[in-house]
């Protein structure tokens, strides 16, 4: 079962947490692609471009097309743990699966693996996983549930009561 659903079908707590996190992120995306872009950019500490980009008069080697509409390639994979540790063997297997999923290892072209945990992972683990992922051409980011809540709250204006309500409900779930 790969679809994100409103009604839980998972028995394992980490899958339940992952589904709820994806529901919340999808809700923000549907509300505003710019909001989710800023949330993910702040969590991953790297500039992301979500959605279409419109440009005019793009100079090439031999010509200047009048317009260009693009969408950056981006793939974000997530591994969720309800505690504060990630299994490095499992992360290695994910890196192998990412290479199979994309037809090649990531090339630093927007392939990201997020380790989502309740507590921050140990700095030594974060550095080791970051280096291992980089060797596979994947960006690794260790993110906590509370960081997601903080980033989402930061994107909500005071008048956006519905969005704030969803964030508060998610926080309560956690």
């Amino acid at each position: 079962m790969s679809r994100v659903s409103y009604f839980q079908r998972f028995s394992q707590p980490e899958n339940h947490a992952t589904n709820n996190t994806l529901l919340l992120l999808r809700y923000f995306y549907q509300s505003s692609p710019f909001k989710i872009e800023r949330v993910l950019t702040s969590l991953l500490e790297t500039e992301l471009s979500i959605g279409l980009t419109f440009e005019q008069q793009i100079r090439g080697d031999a010509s200047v097309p009048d317009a260009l509409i693009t969408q950056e390639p981006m793939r974000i994979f997530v591994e969720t743990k309800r505690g504060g540790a990630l299994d490095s063997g499992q992360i290695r297997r994910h890196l192998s699966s990412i290479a199979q999923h994309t037809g090649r290892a990531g090339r630093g072209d927007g392939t990201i693996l997020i380790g989502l945990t309740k507590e921050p992972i140990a700095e030594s683990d974060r550095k080791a996983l970051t280096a291992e992922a980089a060797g596979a051409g994947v960006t690794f980011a260790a993110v906590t549930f509370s960081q997601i809540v903080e980033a989402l709250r930061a994107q909500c204006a005071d008048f956006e009561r519905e969005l704030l309500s969803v964030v508060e409900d998610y926080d309560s779930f956690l």
Side-chain angles (χ1 to χ4, degrees):
M1 171 184 337
S2 60
R3 289 187 48 129
V4 175
S5 64
Y6 290 106
F7 302 100
Q8 296 299 317
R9 292 165 176 84
F10 299 103
S11 59
Q12 295 205 9
E14 71 183 45
N15 295 335
H16 198 125
T18 301
N19 188 82
N20 287 352
T21 302
L22 292 177
L23 278 172
L24 182 61
L25 295 175
R26 183 174 71 184
Y27 190 80
F28 263 70
Y29 173 75
Q30 289 170 341
S31 171
S32 169
F34 297 112
K35 283 187 186 297
I36 198 67
E37 179 178 296
R38 289 190 302 260
V39 165
L40 291 174
T41 294
S42 73
L43 290 171
L44 304 175
E45 298 176 353
T46 186
E47 282 296 317
L48 294 177
S49 176
I50 294 178
L52 299 174
T53 302
F54 299 85
E55 300 175 87
Q56 279 187 254
Q57 301 296 311
I58 304 303
R59 186 167 302 281
D61 290 340
S63 68
V64 181
D66 291 325
L68 174 64
I69 301 171
T70 58
Q71 182 168 340
E72 293 296 319
M74 176 178 57
R75 291 166 306 280
I76 300 176
F77 298 85
V78 179
E79 174 56 36
T80 303
K81 295 296 181 199
R82 293 289 293 190
L86 293 169
D87 177 354
S88 59
Q90 186 179 34
I91 298 298
R92 280 188 209 99
R93 291 189 299 276
H94 286 332
L95 293 172
S96 176
S97 292
I98 288 169
Q100 289 176 342
H101 181 76
T102 60
R104 58 179 163 43
R107 297 183 306 207
D109 62 353
T111 303
I112 298 166
L113 174 59
I114 296 175
L116 180 59
T117 57
K118 183 177 182 178
E119 302 294 329
I121 65 172
E123 184 62 18
S124 59
D125 292 342
R126 188 194 65 75
K127 286 182 179 179
L129 292 171
T130 299
E132 208 159 327
V138 174
T139 299
F140 175 78
V143 175
T144 64
F145 291 107
S146 61
Q147 286 176 304
I148 289 176
V149 170
E150 291 170 25
L152 292 169
R153 279 186 185 136
Q155 292 305 311
C156 292
D158 290 339
F159 65 86
E160 294 178 302
R161 302 254 184 245
E162 189 173 344
L163 279 178
L164 285 167
S165 175
V166 173
V167 172
E168 294 309 318
D169 191 41
Y170 177 75
D171 193 28
S172 176
F173 156 75
L174 295 173

